């Protein structure tokens, strides 16, 4: 593929019907799947975005589309205090969708036999985990924007949600023969304490206490300390300052226990006491239990600064990360994103995520939600739209390349006020139309948004296809829908040609029932009226037929090639008595036209002279009768 | 209206159909089939919503469709019908008509028979748009304007009506065992009698002056002359095929194409429609009172209707509530069956108290407590 230059690649792929590269954007990297060695003459299928083809991730796109549309319809005029809970609940819906996807991917990753597939699923699971982690933090810090006091509680929830292995270990320990002798017992207790789950820690310790008669008092003391730790209650009548005072008292008590060496004989209880007092070195000794620097951060805050304010977070975040990661040289992408979040630098978060992830889904939806919360300063990007719109447009364009998910993209474009419409107009014309049903759906989208150009072009495509397959009725219906007079003329010509060759009309159910649509094109009107003439003649309503024929001739909507046919049709009529006797002007009219025709026929060479002769004879006879009739005075 | 949660299935659903339950067993249906469209690999799938009778079933499984088996389908599934308990006939966008066999013991699907280019055009594929079965007969229609009669056990077609329609035929249904009704893209309802040898319809009905394409047609289960159609403008029309050339009543049902209309098979005072505008409506007529409904006055402002004529010497107790002309308020109750706005609802099926529908948002909704 390296040998082909980009232009050639474009050309190759536009001739297939698969819409993989309908928008070849030379700025975005192209990822090749299934590439074989160079020198092969095969055309490779190039996929820009692997994720949208995964069946499980598709559910993510569909469900989040539903949530997105619901979000856009929240009324703007509600006061912001009513809207915040709605935004939080929408954020939670998005997250639950991510979780559901993650669980399903996890199940499939475990159960699949294919090792490569398992790794791929595993990668997707870890990406989704990271995404949910970031989103959750953004929800706590930006969308919910809780004040000091509650902030720590939310952060604790955040950490607990993402460290589920504690429960597994606890289960394992509790289900063993003798939990207190299980090698993981103390790890579980310490993990509970680190996560602030003191009730559960107390329950676990109670098991130990029941068996240790010697240290009974120590365990009682520890239990006492654990039970008395103040936890901030947002709904209570006590203010944050009061809570702070209470907490300091408790902290001093714990410190005193440590100074008094009350737990000196039991190394585990001493450890727990040190953690409770917030000793950093102790915490750092348990990196494996904490496993991440942000867990370390939250634990440290819990036991040292529970009344932390949102604005102070970033100092602690910086230092915690530095302390935790001193062995490694540079922080990973996820770490810097989280740090930017603690910094309340929303734009940095979005920017880093855009770079790190290969799909615009996350940044598009998160930015949209943040924009609704009025958290993004609207600085315009230098290509005219703001950040939210840019990301949504990118995401939706990616969706439009998908053979099935393009329908979702339409709604995203609808909610991009600046460029959405233009993007939609360009994309919608390129959706491949295999069946009429799909064409009707696309047309509905265009008509709802008043895009007459696109409607015309789609109808024309369908009309041409029908014409190619000799489905003239269908082609005519499509050109009427497109209001395409030129094409309707073309098809009417085909109908007339068919009549000339076969002698009968086809598709009468259509032609008879056109109604006002027949006025679209002259040729079409002529076709309908000409058939009507034949019907009248067949029903022996000669007078009506004659009148119609005359009007057809005089209105000059008949094509020249048809004049001879018309005049030939007029022949038998002229012989009819009632015509010549009651409608002399018909004869005169026909006479006029015949003169023209005869002059014309001297210039054309392929006119049957016998016909012309017959006509002239009939006309002359008729004219004679007419003149006589005209001249006769009624007595 | 509870438990109508969406189940996302990673494929746009074009058709859903309940497997028929044997009339002797008074069970609720629990197995349905779906067909997908607009995918690179389309599939037909068979789902189960669990048996009501099974004891000790976990609550979370109840009502949530579980996939039993699926099979690759060439082309979009444009129509799907159960031929009998084990066999499904599908109409494909490639023009093929296929009979699939569902092996219940092994929960697999295999192809029993296929007519590969049943509907075709000279240059391109002609999608087969509709299929209807009356075992063992199968009638299919397509965009090529052909009507084809097959028998499940015969290799070739029994009868082909070429050029039955100058435009695409969108749907077909049986009126009687030997008569079918088709609707096409110029708003015409055509009646065909297979006992006649001619290739022209025995009757054509249409809304005069209106060429709005019709997409679906359904026959009243008990009264064979009453037919409902739905079209591009979302209008629900109820016709009496015995008389007149125009529909009996017109109701503004939806704001976009109506894709399917179904009378409830055992309780035909209930009608269900689904549409491109993302809604699924349940229509319920009040049961007819002593006075024939068409003699009651008044006008329901959600209906546009034409006045009805009393059928000469007709048996008044059989007059259907659907043929009410100008009717009083509250005669027709409408309920939205889906919890919130979605993309197009492409298909629905109702049997007993169970309703299933599929949407373009790749979701299936199942409701097991439809109030009928």
């Amino acid at each position: 593929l390296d040998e082909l230059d980009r232009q050639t690649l474009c050309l190759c792929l536009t001739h297939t019907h698969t819409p993989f590269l309908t928008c070849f954007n030379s700025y975005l990297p192209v990822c090749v799947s299934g590439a074989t060695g160079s020198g092969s003459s095969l055309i490779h299928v190039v996929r820009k975005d692997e994720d949208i083809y995964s069946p499980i991730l598709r559910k993510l796109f569909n469900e989040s589309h539903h949530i997105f549309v619901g979000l856009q319809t929240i009324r703007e005029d509600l006061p912001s205090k009513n809207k915040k809970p709605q935004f939080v609940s929408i954020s939670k819906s998005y997250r639950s969708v991510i979780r559901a996807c993650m669980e399903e991917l996890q199940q499939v990753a475990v159960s699949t036999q294919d090792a490569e597939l398992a790794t791929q699923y595993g990668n997707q699971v870890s990406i989704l985990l990271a995404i949910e982690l970031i989103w959750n933090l953004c929800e706590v810090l930006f969308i919910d924007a809780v004040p000091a006091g509650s902030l720590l509680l939310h952060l604790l929830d955040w950490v607990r949600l993402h460290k589920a292995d504690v429960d597994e270990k606890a289960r394992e320990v509790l289900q063993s023969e003798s939990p207190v002798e299980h090698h993981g017992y103390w790890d579980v207790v310490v993990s509970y304490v680190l996560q602030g789950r003191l009730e559960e820690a107390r329950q676990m310790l109670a098991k130990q206490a029941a068996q240790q008669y010697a240290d009974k008092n120590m365990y009682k003391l520890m239990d006492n300390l654990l039970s008395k730790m103040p936890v901030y209650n947002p709904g209570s009548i006590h203010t944050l300052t009061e809570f702070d005072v209470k907490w300091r008292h408790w902290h001093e008590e714990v410190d005193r226990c440590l100074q008094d060496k009350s737990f000196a004989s039991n190394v585990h209880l001493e450890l727990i006491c040190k953690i409770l007092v917030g000793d950093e070195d102790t915490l750092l000794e348990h990196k494996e239990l904490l496993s991440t620097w942000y867990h370390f951060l939250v634990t440290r805050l819990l036991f040292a600064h529970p009344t932390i304010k949102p604005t102070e977070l970033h100092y602690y975040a910086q230092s915690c990360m530095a302390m935790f990661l001193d062995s490694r040289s540079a922080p990973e992408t996820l770490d810097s994103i989280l740090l930017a979040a603690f910094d309340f630098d929303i734009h940095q978060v979005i920017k880093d995520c855009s770079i790190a992830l290969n799909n615009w889904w996350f940044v598009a939806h998160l930015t949209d939600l943040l924009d609704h919360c009025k958290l993004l300063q609207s600085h315009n990007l230098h290509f005219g739209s703001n950040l939210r719109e840019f990301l949504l447009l990118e995401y939706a364009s990616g969706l439009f390349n998908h053979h099935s998910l393009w329908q979702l993209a339409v709604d995203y474009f609808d909610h991009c006020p600046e460029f959405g419409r233009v993007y939609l107009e360009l994309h919608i014309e390129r959706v491949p139309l295999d069946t009429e049903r799909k064409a009707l759906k696309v047309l509905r989208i265009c008509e709802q948004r008043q895009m007459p150009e696109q409607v015309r072009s789609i109808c024309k495509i369908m009309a041409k296809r029908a014409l190619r397959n000799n489905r003239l009725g269908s082609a005519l219906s499509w050109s009427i829908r497109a209001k395409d007079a030129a094409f309707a003329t073309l098809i009417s010509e085909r109908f007339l040609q068919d009549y000339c060759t076969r002698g009968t009309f086809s598709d009468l159910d259509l032609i008879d029932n056109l109604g006002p649509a027949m006025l679209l094109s002259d040729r079409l009107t002529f076709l309908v009226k000409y058939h009507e003439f034949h019907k009248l003649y067949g029903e022996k309503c000669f007078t009506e037929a004659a009148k119609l024929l005359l009007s057809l001739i005089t209105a000059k909507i008949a094509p020249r090639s048809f004049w001879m046919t018309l005049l030939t049709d007029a022949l038998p009529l002229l012989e009819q008595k009632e015509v010549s006797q009651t409608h002399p002007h018909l004869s005169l009219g026909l006479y006029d036209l015949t003169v023209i025709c005869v002059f014309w026929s001297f210039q054309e060479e392929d006119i049957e002279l016998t016909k012309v002769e017959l006509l002239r004879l009939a006309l002359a006879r008729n004219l004679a009768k007419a003149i006589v009739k005209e001249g006769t005075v009624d007595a | 209206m509870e438990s109508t949660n969406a189940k996302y299935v990673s494929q746009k659903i074009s058709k859903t159909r309940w497997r028929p339950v044997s009339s002797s067993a008074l069970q609720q249906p629990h197995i349905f089939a779906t067909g997908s469209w607009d995918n690179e690999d389309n599939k037909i799938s068979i789902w189960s919503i669990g048996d009501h009778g099974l004891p000790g079933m976990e609550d979370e499984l109840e009502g949530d469709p579980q996939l039993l088996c699926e099979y690759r389908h060439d082309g979009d599934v444009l129509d799907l019908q159960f031929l009998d308990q084990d066999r499904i006939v599908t109409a494909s966008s490639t023009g093929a008509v296929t009979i699939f066999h569902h092996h219940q013991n092994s929960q697999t699907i295999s192809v029993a028979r296929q007519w590969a280019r049943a509907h075709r055009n000279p240059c391109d594929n002609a999608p087969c748009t509709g299929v209807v079965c009356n075992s063992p007969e199968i009638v299919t229609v397509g965009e090529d304007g052909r009507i084809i009669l097959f028998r499940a056990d015969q290799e070739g077609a029994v009868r082909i009506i070429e050029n039955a329609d100058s435009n695409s035929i969108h749907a077909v249904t049986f009126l009687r065992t030997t008569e079918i009704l088709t609707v096409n893209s110029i708003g015409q309802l055509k009646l065909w009698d297979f006992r006649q040898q001619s290739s022209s319809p025995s009757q054509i009905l249409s809304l005069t002056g209106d060429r709005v394409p019709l997409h679906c047609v359904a026959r009243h289960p008990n009264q064979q002359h009453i037919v409902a159609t739905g079209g591009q403008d979302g209008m629900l029309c109820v016709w009496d095929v015995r008389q007149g050339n125009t529909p009996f009543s017109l109701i503004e049902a939806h704001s976009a194409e109506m894709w399917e209309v179904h009378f409830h098979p055992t309780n035909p005072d209930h009608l269900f429609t689904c549409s491109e505008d993302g809604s699924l409506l349940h229509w319920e007529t009040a049961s007819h009172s002593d006075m024939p409904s068409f003699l009651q006055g008044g006008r329901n402002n959600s209906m546009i209707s034409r006045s009805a004529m009393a059928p000469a010497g007709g048996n008044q107790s059989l007059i259907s509530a659907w043929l009410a002309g100008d009717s009083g308020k509250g005669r027709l109750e409408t309920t939205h069956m889906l919890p919130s706005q979605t993309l197009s609802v492409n298909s629905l099926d109702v049997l007993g108290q169970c309703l299933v529908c599929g949407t373009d948002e790749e979701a299936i909704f199942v409701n097991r407590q439809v109030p009928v």
Side-chain angles (χ1 to χ4, degrees):
Chain A
L1 226 75
D2 298 327
E3 290 142 21
L4 292 170
D5 66 288
R6 287 200 164 144
Q7 286 297 94
T8 327
L9 189 60
C10 269
L11 279 173
C12 279
L13 287 171
T14 47
H15 285 298
T16 69
H17 290 297
T18 48
F20 287 126
L21 267 188
T22 48
C23 298
F24 193 80
N25 185 337
S26 56
Y27 296 111
L28 290 167
V30 169
C31 117
V32 179
S33 66
T36 60
S38 64
S40 79
S41 55
L42 301 167
I43 293 180
H44 297 278
V45 167
V46 178
R47 279 198 165 135
K48 206 163 71 166
D49 192 346
E50 273 289 332
D51 284 344
I52 56 178
Y53 292 93
S54 152
I56 298 173
L57 282 183
R58 254 171 97 154
K59 303 189 196 187
L60 182 73
F61 298 122
N62 276 291
E63 286 203 69
S64 56
H65 163 264
H66 194 85
I67 301 171
F68 174 85
V69 171
L71 171 59
Q72 309 307 313
T73 53
I74 289 181
R75 287 174 44 213
E76 277 298 314
D77 50 351
L78 284 178
S80 50
K81 67 171 160 65
N82 291 355
K83 286 199 271 187
K84 190 159 93 153
Q86 275 190 304
F87 290 142
V88 172
S89 106
I90 286 178
S91 177
K92 287 191 176 13
S93 318
Y94 274 124
R95 279 177 37 223
S96 72
V97 168
I98 300 175
R99 290 218 143 232
C101 233
M102 206 158 57
E103 277 164 23
E104 204 174 327
L105 273 173
Q106 185 67 14
Q107 274 181 348
V108 180
V110 161
S111 62
T112 184
Q113 310 284 350
D114 187 350
E116 195 186 309
L117 214 57
T119 22
Q120 192 186 13
Y121 285 141
N123 288 340
Q124 283 173 343
V125 169
S126 32
I127 292 178
L128 284 178
L129 264 172
I131 284 179
E132 210 255 321
L133 182 74
I134 301 170
W135 195 307
N136 200 346
L137 186 61
C138 290
E139 180 186 311
V140 168
L141 295 177
F142 307 143
I143 301 174
D144 222 350
V146 288
S150 305
L151 177 61
L152 186 63
L153 296 175
H154 279 74
L155 285 176
L156 267 176
D157 281 335
W158 175 64
V159 161
R160 285 173 194 166
L161 195 59
H162 294 93
K163 192 114 180 46
D165 57 353
V166 176
D167 291 305
E168 274 176 48
K169 265 197 277 183
R171 230 191 325 255
E172 196 189 309
V173 166
L174 287 172
Q175 283 173 356
S176 69
E177 290 277 319
S178 168
V180 298
E181 281 160 30
H182 195 282
H183 64 88
Y185 173 81
W186 283 110
D187 278 345
V188 171
V189 177
V190 171
S191 299
Y192 276 145
V193 175
L194 289 172
Q195 285 194 358
R197 292 157 77 170
L198 300 182
E199 266 306 308
E200 285 147 293
R202 284 174 63 201
Q203 283 172 11
M204 287 292 270
L205 279 175
K207 294 195 194 303
Q208 185 75 268
Q211 301 197 349
Q212 296 268 354
Y213 298 117
D215 295 332
K216 204 166 51 158
N217 287 333
M218 259 205 291
Y219 279 95
K220 231 172 150 190
L221 181 59
M222 175 52 76
D223 190 68
N224 196 7
L225 284 178
L226 289 172
S227 66
K228 283 203 300 190
M229 173 170 161
V231 176
Y232 182 69
N233 183 356
S236 80
I237 50 172
H238 303 291
T239 66
L240 191 64
T241 339
E242 287 172 9
F243 167 76
D244 198 30
V245 166
K246 269 206 287 191
W247 184 82
R248 279 183 203 288
H249 277 170
W250 176 83
H251 189 92
E252 277 163 21
E253 196 181 330
V254 178
D255 203 26
R256 237 178 298 129
C257 288
L258 202 59
Q259 303 300 334
D260 291 350
K261 302 211 187 305
S262 319
F263 299 109
S265 54
N266 187 326
V267 63
H268 298 289
L269 291 180
E270 172 109 357
L271 168 68
I272 293 176
C273 193
K274 284 193 186 162
I275 293 174
L276 289 178
V277 94
D279 182 39
E280 283 164 16
D281 298 317
T282 324
L283 292 179
L284 283 171
E285 279 165 27
H286 290 85
K287 275 192 191 173
E288 342 77 54
L289 287 182
L290 289 170
S291 74
T292 54
W293 64 270
Y294 40 91
H295 191 337
F296 171 53
L297 165 68
V298 173
T299 308
R300 186 179 158 207
L301 291 174
L302 173 66
F303 295 120
H305 312 278
T307 54
I308 181 134
K309 294 208 266 290
T311 43
E312 295 164 354
L313 262 180
H314 68 277
Y315 296 125
Y316 293 102
Q318 283 273 13
S319 60
C320 283
M321 190 167 92
M323 281 193 265
F324 199 89
L325 299 177
D326 53 10
S327 51
R328 256 173 284 163
S329 49
E332 292 185 349
T333 327
L334 178 61
D335 297 327
S336 46
I337 293 173
L338 292 174
L339 196 60
F342 284 122
D343 247 344
F344 283 82
D345 190 351
I346 300 182
H347 287 275
Q348 189 65 30
V349 171
I350 295 172
K351 189 166 132 190
D352 286 344
C353 289
S354 310
I355 296 171
L357 298 166
N358 65 347
N359 185 290
W360 295 104
W361 178 85
F362 172 59
V363 284
H365 287 88
L366 182 62
T367 312
D368 174 61
L369 182 56
L370 292 174
D371 188 66
H372 276 268
C373 301
K374 306 265 188 290
L375 290 169
L376 293 178
Q377 305 126 337
S378 57
H379 58 253
N380 279 346
L381 304 172
H382 58 254
F383 26 84
S385 62
N386 60 20
L387 184 64
R388 166 190 174 269
E389 184 156 323
F390 170 72
L391 293 172
L392 284 177
L393 289 172
E394 286 295 315
Y395 172 63
S397 303
L399 276 185
F400 235 108
N401 287 339
H402 192 270
H403 50 76
S404 212
L405 295 176
W406 58 271
Q407 269 186 295
L408 304 179
V410 173
D411 281 314
Y412 287 102
F413 283 137
D414 278 346
H415 291 106
C416 292
E418 288 242 19
F419 293 121
R421 194 189 160 86
V422 173
Y423 269 68
L424 183 60
E425 281 174 4
L426 291 174
H427 274 107
I428 199 90
E429 277 187 313
R430 285 157 179 79
V431 174
L433 302 169
D434 300 321
T435 63
E436 275 196 10
R437 168 133 359 154
K438 188 163 175 187
L440 289 172
K441 285 186 186 253
V442 175
L443 278 173
R444 169 65 55 179
I445 291 172
C446 296
E447 279 165 358
Q448 264 176 349
R449 289 158 184 78
Q450 271 95 45
M451 295 183 176
E453 281 297 319
Q454 281 67 30
V455 170
R456 256 196 296 274
S457 94
I458 289 166
C459 289
K460 185 118 183 221
I461 292 171
M462 299 306 287
K464 280 200 125 148
R465 183 181 302 169
L467 193 63
R468 189 169 65 213
N469 289 304
N470 216 26
R471 301 280 308 151
L472 294 180
S474 215
L476 188 59
S477 295
W478 281 111
S479 28
I480 289 173
R481 186 164 177 173
K483 300 200 183 27
D484 189 345
F487 214 66
T489 306
L490 194 91
I491 297 167
S492 312
E493 289 270 341
R494 279 282 290 270
F495 269 117
L496 292 170
Q497 275 171 24
D498 273 356
Y499 166 72
C500 285
T501 42
R502 281 189 299 180
T504 52
F505 284 98
S506 63
D507 302 339
L508 291 177
D509 57 346
L510 172 62
I511 296 177
D512 281 344
N513 291 306
L514 276 180
M518 73 167 158
L519 297 172
L520 179 64
S521 120
D522 277 348
R523 199 55 45 83
L524 185 59
T525 320
F526 172 71
L527 174 68
V528 175
K529 289 293 175 192
Y530 188 57
H531 176 247
E532 206 179 311
F533 163 73
H534 271 271
K535 259 203 314 195
L536 288 171
Y537 194 90
E539 289 163 14
K540 301 210 187 319
C541 305
F542 296 121
T543 327
E544 291 300 319
K547 275 193 192 157
L548 186 54
L549 187 61
L550 183 61
S551 63
L552 280 179
I553 293 173
T554 46
K556 297 192 174 64
I557 56 172
R560 267 203 151 178
S561 50
F562 239 72
W563 285 3
M564 209 57 220
T565 323
L566 283 180
L567 290 172
T568 322
D569 287 331
L571 249 178
L573 273 183
L574 292 171
E575 299 297 323
Q576 292 290 332
K577 263 193 173 169
E578 58 178 86
V579 174
S580 55
Q581 291 181 353
T582 53
H583 294 274
H585 50 272
L586 174 62
S587 312
L588 290 168
L590 289 173
Y591 183 76
D592 279 337
L593 195 61
T594 320
V595 170
I596 299 167
C597 273
V598 167
F599 275 127
W600 166 64
S601 72
F602 281 131
Q603 295 152 30
E604 307 283 332
E605 274 148 36
D606 55 348
I607 300 296
E608 300 163 42
L609 286 172
T610 28
K611 256 199 191 163
V612 175
E613 286 302 321
L614 272 172
L615 206 54
R616 291 174 72 190
L617 185 60
L619 224 56
R621 276 215 292 258
N622 220 332
L623 197 56
K625 288 187 208 156
I627 292 173
V628 167
K629 175 78 181 150
E630 278 268 318
T632 307
V633 173
D634 285 325
Chain B
M1 189 208 332
E2 47 150 294
S3 67
T4 34
N5 286 321
K7 168 133 180 118
Y8 286 88
V9 296
S10 308
Q11 45 183 324
K12 292 205 283 208
I13 302 292
S14 57
K15 286 288 161 186
T16 60
R17 292 282 179 262
W18 287 110
R19 190 181 67 180
V21 288
S22 47
S23 46
S24 53
L26 291 165
Q27 280 177 337
Q28 294 293 324
H30 64 279
I31 300 226
F32 63 92
T34 60
S36 75
W37 76 286
D38 213 18
N39 247 347
E40 285 180 319
D41 299 320
N42 286 299
K43 297 201 261 264
I44 66 159
S45 320
I46 305 211
W47 306 79
S48 163
I49 52 170
D51 216 337
H52 274 284
L54 277 181
M57 210 172 53
E58 296 168 35
D59 278 332
E60 63 226 44
L61 287 180
E62 196 165 336
D64 198 31
Q66 303 296 320
L67 180 65
L68 292 179
C69 47
E70 58 187 16
Y71 197 84
R72 198 159 175 255
H73 186 271
D74 222 1
D76 296 344
V77 177
L78 290 179
D79 204 354
L80 189 153
Q81 295 285 346
F82 272 90
L83 183 61
D84 52 31
Q85 282 279 316
D86 301 316
R87 288 181 298 174
I88 301 169
V89 188
T90 65
S92 164
S93 61
T94 59
V97 179
T98 320
I99 303 182
F100 290 94
H101 194 124
H102 174 214
H103 306 276
Q104 312 224 12
N105 301 334
S106 56
Q107 288 302 349
T108 52
I109 300 177
S110 61
V111 175
R113 189 183 289 280
Q114 187 181 66
W115 294 281
R117 296 238 317 150
H119 290 272
R120 59 197 174 278
N121 272 327
C123 298
D124 296 317
N125 282 334
C128 175
T129 50
V131 74
V132 71
C133 313
N134 188 0
S135 189
E137 288 185 335
I138 302 169
V139 179
T140 67
V141 293
E143 276 183 25
D144 56 352
R146 274 193 190 91
I147 301 177
I148 309 182
L149 175 63
F150 292 103
R151 278 184 71 95
D153 43 6
Q154 268 181 261
E155 184 73 36
V158 170
R159 177 146 173 216
I160 304 180
I161 304 179
E162 297 273 354
N163 265 321
D165 204 314
S166 59
N167 278 273
S168 309
I169 307 179
H170 283 161
V172 62
T173 187
F174 271 105
L175 193 64
R176 278 173 247 276
T177 22
T178 51
E179 287 179 4
I180 57 165
L181 272 175
T182 61
V183 291
N184 66 9
S185 56
I186 45 174
Q188 294 173 332
L189 190 63
K190 293 185 182 175
L191 215 142
W192 303 84
D193 193 339
F194 281 126
R195 290 169 299 192
Q196 296 172 4
Q197 282 309 111
S198 76
S199 349
S200 48
S202 42
Q203 200 183 350
I204 301 184
L205 303 98
S206 72
L207 205 50
T208 38
D210 201 349
R211 300 175 70 255
V212 174
L214 292 175
H215 288 299
C216 50
V217 61
R219 195 204 72 192
H220 193 285
N222 305 331
Q223 299 176 45
Q224 294 179 336
H225 52 274
I226 296 179
V227 164
T229 61
Q232 184 175 285
D233 51 359
M235 293 277 249
L236 172 66
C237 303
V238 182
W239 309 69
D240 183 339
V241 295
R242 295 172 309 190
Q243 46 178 247
N245 194 19
T246 47
F248 238 81
S249 45
L250 296 170
I251 302 164
E252 275 180 18
H254 292 279
S255 54
E257 285 88 348
M258 188 191 303
W259 293 121
E260 284 201 19
V261 61
H262 287 258
F263 282 100
H264 191 281
T266 47
N267 214 333
D269 280 342
H270 297 260
L271 186 85
F272 297 84
T273 59
C274 67
S275 158
E276 177 77 21
D277 65 8
S279 61
L280 200 164
L281 294 178
H282 170 192
W283 304 80
E284 184 177 346
T285 64
S287 53
H288 33 268
S289 55
D290 292 342
M291 181 158 62
S293 46
F294 51 83
L295 292 179
Q296 290 174 8
R299 200 171 196 107
N300 186 333
N301 59 6
S302 73
M303 277 170 57
I304 304 172
S305 52
R306 307 272 168 82
S307 51
M309 293 184 311
N315 187 346
Q316 289 190 341
S317 62
L318 285 181
I319 290 162
S320 168
W322 289 106
L323 292 184
D326 292 335
S327 47
K329 278 207 174 102
R331 284 208 48 83
L332 205 63
E333 279 173 35
T334 324
T335 331
H336 279 267
M337 299 286 302
L338 292 180
S340 56
Q341 197 71 11
T342 68
L343 290 184
S344 165
V345 182
N346 290 324
S347 173
L348 74 98
D349 198 15
V350 61
L351 191 61
Q353 279 196 314
C354 299
L355 174 87
V356 63
C357 69
T359 68
D360 267 348
E361 222 170 35
E362 308 193 352
I364 297 178
F365 291 85
V366 177
N367 187 329
R368 299 164 100 170
Q369 270 143 359
V370 178
V372 290

